[in-house]
Amino acid sequence: MSSDPISTNLISVEEEQNMMPEDGVRCPELLTAVGDLHGGVTVDMKKPMDSKVFSSRLRASLSLWRQQGKRGVWIKLPIELANLVKPAVQEGFRYHHAEPDYLMLVYWIPETADVLPANASHRVGVGAFVMNNKREVLVVQENNGALKGTGVWKLPTGTIEEGEDICAAAVREVKEETGIDTEFVEVLAFRQSHRSFFRKSDLFFVCMLRPRNFDIQKQDSEIAAAQWMPAEDYAAQPYVLKHQMFNYICQICLTKSEKDYAGFSPMPVTTGSGKESHLYFNSRYCDPSNGHH
Amino acid sequence: MSSDPISTNLISVEEEQNMMPEDGVRCPELLTAVGDLHGGVTVDMKKPMDSKVFSSRLRASLSLWRQQGKRGVWIKLPIELANLVKPAVQEGFRYHHAEPDYLMLVYWIPETADVLPANASHRVGVGAFVMNNKREVLVVQENNGALKGTGVWKLPTGTIEEGEDICAAAVREVKEETGIDTEFVEVLAFRQSHRSFFRKSDLFFVCMLRPRNFDIQKQDSEIAAAQWMPAEDYAAQPYVLKHQMFNYICQICLTKSEKDYAGFSPMPVTTGSGKESHLYFNSRYCDPSNGHH
């Protein structure tokens, strides 16, 4: 596509006249697109296409969308159609995001600054503080990672899966790694750090959970060892004492177990668009479901 | 690459013998790669290369890495080298993530399940609750988005930029949208929702900030109007009353302004790997920097 909007417009007027008969029947030279609520269109490519054919249809479609005043143009290419990445980039598209099985490209038609939504920027992890009534903490040693082979006992941790709630992820990780069933209590704290993976940031939620059983069934693939450990022994490990982050998190957990500490508890809520979400807040002083006044 | 590991290994032994002379000089047929701490290698392609040349070098390199027992292989392709996406996929690579200017592909060599880090899964937004000493809330009407033209007054909101702290983003958004300088106080609550954008989830942090000046200088491009609004009028808007999420957030903010509500405040900490991060927690009951006991 020409970067000169005037010449592109001149071409597109001619092409549109040739391609769009009065009766509105779709011509085969255009790509199939679905409009969105933001004045844009999405092309969800599903079937194989020759890259030259794709180029020509994309050029014709862009001319039409430009005429129609469309804004953001999205092209979703399954990894099987990797042959179409280069032609899309040649027409001026940039990458937006990718998952293992597809690449999303985008093109902003207006001459104003783009208001396209940002890509996901954070990975989200959870750590689980689980204590029994003997003041023993559920701890593990991992088969992989930076602490492998060091003998350091740590809280069970893991990464949130696609579409998973923080509270559900904490319960799942404890169950997977140790076989212990738990009930979610609160988020005690969270940490934000940057450049944890390429240019991506990281949010890590420290969660308190209440155990429902106590007989550990450790997972063999990821976990080298698991046990109930006296809280004071856990806190006194040289690695925990030496590393500020671990030390602080440990102290917050122990404060919760001994004293008056209020974290954030989850409440299911409906968003403006009608989706189910969870709102996490300090419920000790505020119960919004009962009204404010 | 053959999916049969035995035949691939046979080929690679021969090739490695031909390609790697005793003196260890790199042969031109291999791609330049840098090792990582997890037993993998990263190829950071910077210069243009013919796709056939790339295919042949990639195949030879993969054989060598397989011989060497390497695990994850990463290829970073700038968008200018979109011609190399298809050949990488043909050799068995999958997408890992993409940013506007590059695509990252990955290949897991071992036959065991891959332990590659997950892609970023969440976008992160902030909303700012700023109140003056007349119990007026700083509110805006936006030029874009779902509430455009509805007359609804809302808290200033925005999306975190790459590598930005939650506390810094809240201060920046208020300054950009209204010209008001603020001091960060606390995270009052946060919301997690899913499928907010394609398959990505969303974390939204409601933050309380203390204003340092009161003369509003509204930003024209994004903001249609901005004002200090009596808290009770803000809370009584039909849109706020009707939508559970807005209503709850409003009540949490007003509880904070009237009563005893403790959110999470940020503390700079150093992680195990020496990076600067922020830990957010309820500092009313716990000051880990003074030690636990």
Side-chain angles (χ1 to χ4, degrees), chain B residues 180-240:
Chain B
I180 300 294
D181 293 301
T182 54
E183 177 189 353
F184 188 87
V185 180
E186 276 180 1
V187 170
L188 299 181
F190 64 86
R191 182 206 67 196
Q192 186 191 24
S193 53
H194 302 297
R195 296 199 157 266
S196 70
F197 183 66
F198 299 105
R199 295 184 334 209
K200 299 300 186 180
S201 299
D202 199 272
L203 275 162
F204 179 78
F205 292 86
V206 182
C207 305
M208 184 179 192
L209 296 87
R210 194 173 294 127
R212 289 178 161 160
N213 63 321
F214 303 93
D215 184 20
I216 292 173
Q217 303 282 338
K218 131 181 135 59
Q219 182 199 55
D220 290 331
S221 63
E222 289 178 33
I223 302 299
Q227 66 165 343
W228 292 101
M229 187 180 201
E232 284 60 36
D233 296 353
Y234 169 69
Q237 295 180 98
Y239 185 86
V240 171

Side-chain angles (χ1 to χ4, degrees), chain A residues 33-52:
Chain A
V34 177
D36 63 37
L37 295 173
H38 308 281
V41 293
T42 300
V43 177
D44 191 358
M45 292 295 296
K46 287 183 171 158
K47 291 183 182 163
M49 188 180 284
D50 175 79
S51 60
K52 287 203 178 61

Side-chain angles (χ1 to χ4, degrees), chain A residues 74 96-97 115-124 200 203 275, chain B residues 120-126 158-160 191-205:
Chain A
W74 303 86
H96 186 271
H97 69 276
V115 294
L116 296 166
N119 191 2
S121 55
H122 285 61
R123 291 189 300 165
V124 178
K200 298 300 185 179
L203 275 162
K275 274 188 305 192
Chain B
S121 55
H122 285 62
R123 290 190 300 164
V124 178
V126 290
T159 304
I160 284 197
R191 182 206 67 196
Q192 186 191 24
S193 53
H194 302 297
R195 296 199 157 266
S196 70
F197 183 66
F198 299 105
R199 295 184 334 209
K200 299 300 186 180
S201 299
D202 199 272
L203 275 162
F204 179 78
F205 292 86

Side-chain angles (χ1 to χ4, degrees), chain A residues 44-119:
Chain A
D44 191 358
M45 292 295 296
K46 287 183 171 158
K47 291 183 182 163
M49 188 180 284
D50 175 79
S51 60
K52 287 203 178 61
V53 173
F54 176 74
S55 283
S56 131
R57 291 187 188 179
L58 178 56
R59 215 171 295 134
S61 303
L62 271 173
S63 297
L64 174 64
W65 296 325
R66 191 181 295 272
Q67 282 297 113
Q68 295 173 334
K70 296 294 183 193
R71 289 150 55 95
V73 178
W74 303 86
I75 300 181
K76 183 176 177 180
L77 293 179
I79 193 164
E80 297 77 24
L81 306 189
N83 63 311
L84 306 182
V85 176
K86 184 184 163 199
V89 170
Q90 284 176 325
E91 295 304 320
F93 280 73
R94 67 167 173 85
Y95 302 146
H96 186 271
H97 69 276
E99 294 297 326
D101 56 338
Y102 75 88
L103 173 63
M104 185 72 77
L105 297 105
V106 70
Y107 182 83
W108 180 249
I109 293 182
E111 291 186 56
T112 54
D114 87 63
V115 294
L116 296 166
N119 191 2

